Amino acid sequence: MSEELIPDKYQQAIAASKVVEDDAAVSAAVAKIIDAHFAENNNADVYKFLFNSIDLTTLRSVDSPSSVARFTEAVNSFEELFPSLGNVAAICVYPNFASVVRTVLEVSSVKLACVSGSFPSSQSFEEVKIAETSLAIANGADEIDIVFNLGYFFDKDYESVCDEISEQKEATRDGRLKVILETGALKTAANIKKAAVLSLYSGADFLKTSTGKEYPGATLEAAYVMAEAIKEYYNKTGKKVGFKASGGIRTTEDAVKYYTVIKEVLGEEWLSNEYFRIGASSLANALLSSIAGHDVNHF
């Protein structure tokens, strides 16, 4: 558990946050940002940045060592085929494929991310979750994406929520921990704020919107609340935490909208793939097509 929170302080930490909780106010703020700034960001330079911020993801039941190897080879061949463009930020796979990606991947700038902790439900023994993360790191993962424990959260067992995140952070060692809030299950701005605050003070290196599995995926409103929580946390602690949008982001227009919200709330400092990511599969080809001006289907 993070030293920044002790068991009797969880409610106090949430209450101390001034992040907006009113859903209508959040929707209005997002609409204002998009109306005022989307057009200025809808250009090729932003498309290139967004492509370079993708966690290229394959999380299918039919994934296999050979299919993941082919997936990784597409990343290896990208630079030869598109020498003027930066590659994706990371490849994201199930943890049992970490060693496959680490063996095949030849691009040093591309990170290896693994979902872990009984993704996507976060339902298992805590020891199993920690072991899965430890094994992923031991097999070469640079980044770990875990799911916020919704069961504990809705039971208001905030101590267990935070303990689990902190222990998973410890298991990542020198890696970076992304905490998936599953905003489609949290639903309200108030719940998203609470989950964000708890995750931030428990050691999250990134806040991520969604798994893209059981519940609705990312929304601009959820991104706005999460970004406001990240900004508030940074102002209080000086620690920069990244933001990752994931779940249902398939078009260039969608991606530019998330970029626009993060740029306006968090500023230019967050506009690097160290602090801004989009988890996607089909989006990569959509962005390449927008950049090239014709259909591209490399991935």
Side-chain angles (χ1 to χ4, degrees):
M1 184 177 61
S2 169
E3 63 182 11
E4 295 179 74
L5 276 182
I6 56 176
D8 60 348
K9 295 286 182 73
Y10 298 109
Q11 292 283 8
Q12 290 180 34
I14 292 168
S17 173
K18 304 303 181 186
V19 172
V20 62
E21 295 187 354
D22 181 80
D23 292 307
V26 170
S27 295
V30 168
K32 184 177 180 181
I33 288 171
I34 298 302
D35 288 347
H37 300 286
F38 173 80
E40 70 195 49
N41 296 321
N42 192 27
N43 60 67
D45 287 340
V46 172
Y47 304 161
K48 292 174 184 178
F49 167 78
L50 288 165
F51 181 83
N52 187 229
S53 301
I54 287 177
D55 282 2
L56 192 68
T57 303
T58 182
L59 298 171
R60 307 175 302 160
S61 297
V62 295
D63 285 345
S64 69
S66 60
S67 73
V68 171
R70 289 192 299 271
F71 186 76
T72 307
E73 288 286 8
V75 173
N76 289 340
S77 65
F78 178 82
E79 292 183 354
E80 181 178 348
L81 295 172
F82 303 90
S84 65
L85 298 178
N87 216 318
V88 296
I91 295 175
C92 184
V93 296
Y94 282 113
N96 49 307
F97 297 117
S99 61
V100 174
V101 177
R102 183 52 66 210
T103 299
V104 176
L105 183 63
E106 298 172 352
V107 187
S108 60
S109 64
V110 176
K111 302 296 185 183
L112 167 53
C114 289
V115 296
S116 187
S118 298
F119 176 94
S121 68
S122 192
Q123 297 288 11
S124 188
F125 298 101
E126 191 167 324
E127 295 86 350
V128 170
K129 297 181 189 182
I130 293 168
E132 187 175 41
T133 294
S134 297
L135 286 166
I137 293 292
N139 279 273
D142 301 300
E143 302 173 352
I144 297 293
D145 294 35
I146 65 166
V147 181
F148 184 85
N149 196 312
L150 294 166
Y152 287 152
F153 177 78
F154 285 119
D155 274 357
K156 294 184 170 54
D157 185 358
Y158 299 149
E159 182 176 0
S160 292
V161 170
C162 294
D163 281 348
E164 188 170 282
I165 294 170
S166 297
E167 289 178 16
Q168 289 280 42
K169 172 60 180 172
E170 185 175 349
T172 64
R173 291 180 247 173
D174 295 327
R176 300 179 81 191
L177 182 69
K178 306 188 192 94
V179 179
I180 308 167
L181 301 189
E182 198 67 293
T183 55
L186 293 171
K187 296 182 179 178
T188 66
N191 280 340
I192 294 167
K193 166 190 161 176
K194 290 175 187 176
V197 169
L198 294 173
S199 299
L200 290 165
Y201 281 94
S202 298
D205 297 302
F206 264 80
L207 296 185
K208 177 178 171 182
T209 57
S210 316
T211 64
K213 299 296 184 181
E214 185 177 355
Y215 296 96
T219 66
L220 295 172
E221 290 76 15
Y224 178 86
V225 175
M226 292 163 67
E228 288 284 354
I230 289 169
K231 179 171 69 173
E232 180 182 71
Y233 181 73
Y234 174 71
N235 289 337
K236 288 181 177 179
T237 68
K239 180 182 177 183
K240 289 176 72 174
V241 172
F243 168 82
K244 178 176 174 180
S246 185
I249 305 169
R250 298 183 177 90
T251 70
T252 298
E253 181 179 344
D254 288 340
V256 172
K257 287 179 179 178
Y258 284 96
Y259 171 95
T260 300
V261 169
I262 297 306
K263 180 181 178 182
E264 292 308 311
V265 176
L266 288 170
E268 299 279 350
E269 285 186 60
W270 267 260
L271 297 182
S272 74
N273 68 13
E274 185 177 1
Y275 295 108
F276 179 88
R277 298 283 181 85
I278 297 182
S281 51
S282 59
L283 176 64
N285 285 330
L287 284 167
L288 286 176
S289 298
S290 296
I291 293 164
H294 57 80
D295 287 344
V296 177
N297 290 292
H298 180 71
F299 295 104

